[in-house]
Amino acid sequence: MSNSPLPARLEQAQPYALGLFRAVVGLLFLCHGAASLFGVLGGAAGGGTVPAGTWPGWYAAVIQLVAGALVLLGVGTRSAALVASGSMAYAYFKVHQPESLFPLQNGGEASAMFCWAFLLLVFTGPGALALDRLIAPRRAGRPAEQREERATAAA
């Protein structure tokens, strides 16, 4: 039997589970954008691509591609997730909800799930294995290192 109870082990794994969640959600969102913009993975709804500059489809696809990539990599996760969540809320209320109240009836399950998943990431942050976590300690350490160098030089 283990010395550590299961809840303690789950707590230790939480940042990694959150990081995996972030990466999967970002990849799936990126794939939607790539399908709409480049016609890959089956293309946009009905095949093909979304015509450049058309409102709101082309702009939504650009947000999906860029925000999905940023969330996948864990770069600016909270900001990218906020934009992505807002775009999915817009998609749900403008495109799906007028058809029917419930997502199962109006085809808006993906929009609703993406909206809430990204909103969760706004509040939780990127979790483990995000590029921001690799870059931020270096940035944060530079001013302190510079102060130490200045103090040493002044002494």
Side-chain angles (χ1 to χ4, degrees), residues 27-120:
L27 176 64
L28 293 173
F29 205 57
L30 180 148
C31 288
H32 276 277
S36 296
L37 291 173
F38 308 119
V40 298
L41 305 170
T49 61
V50 175
T54 58
W55 176 259
W58 185 82
Y59 294 94
V62 170
I63 290 171
Q64 290 167 355
L65 184 73
V66 174
L70 291 171
V71 169
L72 169 64
L73 297 172
V75 177
T77 301
R78 290 177 192 257
S79 299
L82 182 63
V83 170
S85 179
S87 75
M88 289 295 96
Y90 178 87
Y92 183 78
F93 287 110
K94 194 70 173 173
V95 176
H96 299 286
Q97 197 274 331
E99 298 295 319
S100 177
L101 179 61
F102 295 106
L104 187 60
Q105 294 175 317
N106 64 30
E109 297 98 332
S111 296
M113 288 294 291
F114 275 125
C115 179
W116 286 104
F118 284 120
L119 189 62
L120 178 65

Side-chain angles (χ1 to χ4, degrees), residues 113-135:
M113 288 294 291
F114 275 125
C115 179
W116 286 104
F118 284 120
L119 189 62
L120 178 65
L121 289 172
V122 170
F123 288 95
T124 62
L129 308 175
L131 288 182
D132 271 350
R133 304 248 182 208
L134 297 174
I135 297 167

Side-chain angles (χ1 to χ4, degrees), residues 144-155:
E145 291 168 4
Q146 290 170 352
R147 283 192 298 270
E148 288 175 16
E149 288 173 7
R150 285 187 216 130
T152 305

